């Protein structure tokens, strides 16, 4: 009787007086997960959302295996059902038309990859973002102790003498409204209206993802995410339904080929991106382009910050963002919800009115989450820098990265395990990052693409290796200042350069060097190698520093 009475009283407080233990602003990925977590612990929760209609977004559509595991811990695994979600088994990276399969690694125990008796591998899921959100909202609504309200939050309610946040002001059906709680969680997404006042860092965005929905696309590797690499920024392809495939094209700011004079973004997609796609995908991409349903999202980076505002916590994209290339955002969000549920449980924090204890736990939260989030944050930014390479050193690292993947075994299990959110060891990330850097340097010296694993490789791998050797040669020519021009004045593509080089001079004669020539070339190669390694260090150092700030 007492429990029932307490529940009824809490429900009455939420619905009539708009008072709860916790107010959550934003019923998106993180807001719904946190509402479910705290509601299941017996906390009284008010979940506020501006618009409860199904959202239409072009990101947040691929959940890595580490996110699926966290979803299961939160009791939300069934939200992946009944939305036509597609299993994801790994990635296919396609470099100038040549691909390498990168499956998710076998079972991981204590950060190490192991093979179980059944050879099972973790699985991700891809889906329509809006359908998934609606399932999460339904789950939050059905959770005891949670009340969902459609309202537009306009400001926070602050006690001026102490700075304590007491709740939020809102507009409900055009009328001013108020919601009170000793703890307010702001999870209002990448365009947060509260971030500027409470977070010391501002998001940095230098490109946008432009999205198309392809119908019945013939992907080279079904049930895999595809990363297409070439002369420009990367392109992502992944299935989000039985018949639908998402295409995301990264378009950097002020890209000349996307200027108005060249037909804008649509002209860039048709003239530059379409020819670089796998042939099997081009017809569906062209059809989607003709349909004209282009949408965009900024690709932002925002390092995490320690929560220091009494009575308020910023979470999700409002507090921490990384480039969506690696699909890590939702994995971070769900794992944050799992960790927050533990640190702010009734056993550890009986009352949210104990602001000092809450802030202490949030400091612990900031550092505990880094075993996963620092890996995903750094990996996303570093891989984007390599995959969108725009200078010779980065191009060399890009080639080295792809060639490293061709080695197979731990050279793919480690990186994809980090990306998938199932290997949570920053030192493992640093190991593979500098292994790629050193391997890139090695390729410069030996003039080969795939290195010493050629013996025993599959026919496909050997074909790729031969192509990689061409790319190494082209990069050497780029370093040496050779720049062939097209009739229009632009630099020919890497592939075009290599083909022209093959036709104009015998490759065997061009590659053959006397010992004296090799010795004379050694100082230049050494300088190139030092520049490449220094570029790798300067790429990683700011990202590590951003994670170490409190």
């Amino acid at each position: 009787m007492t429990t029932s009475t307490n529940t009824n009283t809490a429900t009455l407080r939420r619905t009539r007086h708009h008072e709860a233990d916790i107010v959550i602003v934003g019923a998106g990925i993180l807001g719904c997960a946190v509402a479910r977590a705290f509601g299941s612990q017996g906390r009284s929760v008010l979940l506020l959302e501006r618009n409860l209609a199904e959202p239409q977004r072009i990101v947040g559509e691929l959940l890595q295996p580490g996110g699926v595991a966290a979803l299961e811990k939160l009791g939300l695994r069934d939200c992946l059902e009944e939305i036509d979600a597609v299993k994801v088994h790994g990635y296919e990276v396609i470099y100038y038309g040549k691909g390498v399969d990168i499956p998710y690694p076998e079972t991981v125990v204590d950060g190490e990859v192991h093979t179980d008796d059944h050879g099972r591998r973790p699985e991700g899921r891809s889906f329509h973002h809006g359908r998934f959100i609606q399932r999460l909202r339904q789950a939050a609504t059905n959770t005891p102790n949670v009340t969902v309200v459609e309202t537009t939050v306009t400001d926070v309610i602050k006690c001026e003498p102490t700075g304590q946040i007491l709740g939020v002001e809102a507009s409900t059906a055009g009328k001013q409204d108020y919601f009170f709680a000793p703890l307010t969680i702001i999870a209002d997404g990448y365009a947060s209206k509260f971030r500027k006042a409470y977070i010391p860092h501002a998001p940095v965005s230098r490109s946008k993802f432009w999205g198309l929905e392809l119908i019945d696309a013939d992907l080279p590797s079904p049930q895999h995410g595809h990363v297409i690499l070439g002369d420009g920024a990367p392109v992502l392809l992944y299935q989000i339904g039985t018949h639908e495939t998402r295409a995301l094209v990264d378009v950097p700011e002020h890209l000349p080929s996307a200027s108005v004079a060249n037909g804008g973004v649509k002209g860039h997609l048709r003239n530059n991106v379409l020819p670089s796609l796998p042939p099997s995908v081009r017809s569906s991409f062209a059809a989607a382009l003709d349909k004209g349903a282009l949408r965009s999202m900024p690709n932002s980076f925002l390092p995490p910050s320690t929560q220091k505002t009494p009575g308020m916590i910023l979470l999700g994209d409002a507090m921490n963002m990384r480039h969506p290339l690696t699909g890590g955002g939702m994995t971070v969000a769900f794992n944050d919800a799992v960790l927050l549920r533990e640190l702010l449980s009734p056993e550890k924090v009986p009352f949210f009115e104990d602001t000092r204890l809450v802030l202490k736990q949030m400091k612990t939260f900031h550092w505990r989450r880094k075993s996963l989030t620092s890996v995903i944050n750094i990996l996303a930014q570093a891989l984007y820098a390599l995959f969108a390479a725009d200078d010779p050193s980065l191009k060399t690292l890009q080639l080295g990265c792809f060639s490293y993947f061709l080695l197979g075994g731990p050279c793919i299990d480690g990186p994809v395990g980090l990306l998938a959110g199932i290997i949570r060891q920053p030192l493992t990330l640093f190991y593979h990052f500098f292994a790629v850097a050193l391997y890139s340097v090695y390729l410069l010296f030996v003039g080969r693409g795939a290195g010493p694993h050629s013996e025993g490789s599959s026919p496909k791998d050997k074909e790729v290796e031969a192509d990689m050797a061409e790319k190494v040669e082209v990069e050497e020519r780029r370093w040496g200042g050779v720049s062939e021009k097209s009739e229009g004045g632009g630099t020919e593509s890497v592939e075009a350069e290599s083909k022209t080089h093959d036709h104009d001079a015998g490759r065997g004669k061009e590659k053959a060097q006397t010992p004296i020539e090799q010795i004379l070339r050694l100082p230049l190669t050494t300088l190139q190698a030092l520049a490449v390694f220094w570029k790798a260090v300067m790429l990683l150092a700011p990202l590590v520093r951003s994670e170490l700030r409190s």
Side-chain angles (χ1 to χ4, degrees):
M1 177 67 75
T2 302
T3 301
S4 177
T5 301
N6 290 340
T7 300
N8 292 336
T9 301
T11 302
L12 184 64
R13 285 179 58 220
R14 291 195 303 273
T15 56
R16 181 176 298 181
H17 304 294
H18 293 179
E19 295 178 355
D21 295 326
I22 183 170
V23 167
I24 301 172
V25 179
I29 294 292
L30 191 132
C32 290
V34 171
R36 170 68 169 227
F38 287 128
S40 298
Q41 291 180 334
R43 305 282 198 184
S44 180
V45 180
L46 278 164
L47 178 59
L48 313 181
E49 170 57 40
R50 178 178 57 86
N51 186 352
L52 289 173
E54 183 175 316
Q56 302 294 322
R57 290 186 64 185
I58 60 169
V59 294
E61 297 172 315
L62 195 155
L63 183 62
Q64 300 288 1
V68 174
L71 200 65
E72 191 161 1
K73 291 178 183 177
L74 293 166
L76 294 170
R77 176 66 183 262
D78 60 345
C79 292
L80 294 171
E81 306 299 329
E82 302 178 13
I83 58 173
D84 194 27
V86 177
K87 292 181 180 180
V88 179
H89 298 296
Y91 281 83
E92 176 86 4
V93 177
I94 301 175
Y95 180 78
Y96 288 95
K98 303 298 180 181
V100 58
D101 181 43
I102 306 179
Y104 292 130
E106 280 92 357
T107 306
V108 175
V109 179
D110 296 329
E112 297 296 330
V113 177
H114 296 269
T115 304
D116 67 11
D117 295 337
H118 305 285
R120 293 174 297 190
R121 295 175 180 266
E123 294 177 347
R125 290 291 188 277
S126 54
F127 38 71
H128 288 268
H129 175 83
R131 297 177 187 174
F132 183 52
I133 288 292
Q134 293 304 88
R135 290 282 287 166
L136 289 173
R137 289 174 177 173
Q138 181 183 359
T141 301
N142 294 338
T143 302
N145 310 307
V146 176
T147 298
V148 181
V149 181
E150 188 171 49
T151 185
T152 301
V153 175
T154 56
D155 203 353
V156 297
I157 302 170
K158 180 191 289 187
C159 175
E160 293 300 335
T162 64
Q164 178 86 19
I165 303 302
L166 306 175
V168 297
E169 297 180 17
S171 175
T172 306
K175 297 181 179 179
Q176 193 168 21
D177 210 344
Y178 303 90
F179 298 86
F180 298 94
L183 181 61
T184 299
I185 290 182
I186 303 293
D188 58 342
Y190 76 95
S192 173
K193 66 175 69 174
F194 301 101
R195 178 193 298 122
K196 187 175 181 180
Y198 298 99
I199 292 289
H201 315 298
V204 176
S205 177
R206 296 191 175 93
S207 70
K208 288 184 178 180
F209 259 149
W210 288 83
L212 289 168
E213 187 174 297
L214 316 186
I215 303 300
D216 293 326
D218 183 12
L219 293 176
S221 295
Q223 296 185 327
H224 283 67
H226 294 70
V227 183
I228 316 298
L229 303 178
D231 289 328
V235 177
L236 300 185
L237 300 170
Y238 53 90
Q239 203 171 345
I240 57 174
T242 302
H243 299 285
E244 302 86 21
T245 293
R246 174 67 68 211
L248 293 176
V249 181
D250 187 86
V251 180
E253 291 180 343
H254 314 303
L255 186 67
S257 59
S259 65
V260 175
N262 288 315
V265 171
K266 202 167 186 178
H268 169 71
L269 298 183
R270 189 177 301 279
N271 300 326
N272 297 82
V273 175
L274 180 59
S276 71
L277 297 177
S280 63
V281 178
R282 292 175 190 170
S283 60
S284 57
F285 188 91
L289 201 55
D290 291 337
K291 190 176 180 181
L294 272 172
R295 288 182 290 161
S296 68
M297 286 284 291
N299 297 325
S300 302
F301 174 58
L302 176 66
S305 303
T306 305
Q307 307 290 320
K308 298 180 180 179
T309 305
M312 188 177 77
I313 302 171
L314 271 80
L315 291 174
D317 285 351
M319 184 270 288
N320 181 205
M321 290 185 283
R322 78 292 306 155
H323 197 286
L325 173 71
T326 57
M330 291 189 293
T331 296
V332 168
F334 288 131
N335 279 278
D336 277 354
V338 170
L339 180 56
L340 203 66
R341 178 184 65 176
E342 173 196 337
L343 294 177
L344 298 183
S345 66
E347 292 77 22
K348 294 184 178 180
V349 183
F351 306 102
F352 289 145
E353 288 86 353
D354 190 344
T355 300
R356 182 174 297 181
L357 180 56
V358 170
L359 291 177
K360 178 183 176 183
Q361 292 298 90
M362 290 312 300
K363 187 173 183 178
T364 301
F365 171 81
H366 176 76
W367 295 107
R368 284 259 314 261
R369 72 193 290 269
K370 287 190 179 295
S371 63
L372 171 70
T373 59
S374 65
V375 167
I376 291 179
N377 291 340
I378 293 172
L379 186 63
Q381 297 305 120
L383 277 181
Y384 175 69
L386 296 190
F387 289 172
D390 58 1
D391 69 39
S393 291
L394 286 174
K395 275 291 185 183
T396 301
L397 287 166
Q398 182 189 76
L399 171 62
C401 182
F402 184 79
S403 300
Y404 187 75
F405 291 156
L406 286 173
L407 298 175
C411 297
I412 57 174
D413 284 342
V416 78
L418 293 164
L419 181 146
I422 52 180
I423 296 179
R424 305 184 179 199
Q425 295 177 332
L427 290 178
T428 302
L429 170 62
F430 301 148
Y431 168 81
H432 286 286
F433 182 86
F434 284 108
V436 167
L438 291 172
Y439 195 60
S440 302
V441 168
Y442 164 77
L443 295 180
L444 281 176
F445 280 103
V446 301
R448 295 179 60 197
H453 81 301
S454 300
E455 186 176 352
S457 297
S458 68
K460 179 181 177 183
D461 283 345
K462 290 181 179 178
E463 181 185 2
V464 174
E465 290 170 22
D467 192 70
M468 292 302 100
E470 286 187 9
K471 302 307 179 191
V472 170
E473 185 179 350
V474 170
E475 292 308 319
E476 289 178 346
R477 297 171 64 221
R478 188 196 302 273
W479 272 102
V482 178
S483 178
E484 298 179 11
K485 301 290 182 180
S486 66
E487 293 180 0
T491 302
E492 293 287 345
S493 71
V494 172
E495 187 171 1
E497 284 186 32
S498 63
K499 287 180 179 177
T500 301
H501 178 58
D502 288 349
H503 289 306
D504 289 350
R507 283 182 58 194
K509 294 180 181 178
E510 182 80 8
K511 287 184 176 181
Q513 293 182 355
T514 66
I516 293 178
E517 288 175 329
Q518 293 174 352
I519 292 172
L520 291 176
R521 187 173 177 77
L522 184 60
L524 176 60
T525 304
T526 302
L527 290 175
Q528 295 170 358
L530 290 172
V532 168
F533 194 78
W534 180 248
K535 174 66 77 170
V537 171
M538 294 308 295
L539 171 62
L540 188 65
L543 299 174
V544 174
R545 187 166 60 248
S546 70
E547 288 293 325
L548 294 177
R549 290 184 304 195
S550 60

